[in-house]
Amino acid sequence: MASSAASTTSWSIFTRNSGAQPNRTCISRVLSLPIANPAQHIDRGCLVGKDWMRDSWWQPALRSGLIGIENHSFDHNHAAVQKPGLAGMARGDFFTVDNFERAEAEISVARDLIDSAIAPRKTRVFAYL
């Protein structure tokens, strides 16, 4: 996906400070928002249009060995996303992910998108909190 100055800057800050705690690894839980749709809605509506909702930093982060990328749902069923919710959910409340079908929709769609972006690696966990 397209790179952005914001994600490049964020990654530069992270790597510049990566020696502060040697032998430490963190896991970033990410939403799998494909760039051309839900991510732009959340970025503009909730994150002051800074173009932070990108996946362009995932591969460099993984290659560094300092950070892992894991699943944190497709789109949080977020109200800012201007598309119908997965599995028939009304937008705006993640508590509507209240059964197996809806949870599977959020998790599996995210897993497939994230795994394609971080290939050949694959996600191993769903991180909720």
Side-chain angles (χ1 to χ4, degrees), residues 107-122:
I107 295 167
S108 65
V109 169
R111 180 194 60 232
D112 293 346
L113 289 166
I114 296 168
D115 286 354
S116 70
I118 65 171
R121 293 171 177 87
K122 296 199 177 294

Side-chain angles (χ1 to χ4, degrees), residues 29-33 42 53 58 72-76 114:
R29 52 194 186 161
V30 297
L31 299 177
S32 68
L33 301 164
I42 293 175
M53 300 293 286
W58 297 356
H72 187 57
S73 84
F74 177 65
D75 63 4
H76 271 223
I114 296 168

Side-chain angles (χ1 to χ4, degrees), residues 43-90:
D43 182 67
R44 283 192 304 263
C46 305
L47 298 173
V48 295
K50 294 291 186 182
D51 203 30
W52 290 331
M53 300 293 286
R54 293 280 178 187
D55 63 6
S56 57
W57 62 273
W58 297 356
Q59 284 289 351
L62 289 167
R63 283 191 302 272
S64 78
L66 298 172
I67 192 168
I69 303 297
E70 297 296 345
N71 188 342
H72 187 57
S73 84
F74 177 65
D75 63 4
H76 271 223
N77 197 38
H78 203 285
V81 178
Q82 299 170 3
K83 290 187 170 198
L86 297 174
M89 290 182 281

Side-chain angles (χ1 to χ4, degrees), residues 18-36:
S18 63
Q21 294 186 354
N23 303 317
R24 299 284 183 194
T25 301
C26 67
I27 294 175
S28 180
R29 52 194 186 161
V30 297
L31 299 177
S32 68
L33 301 164
I35 294 311

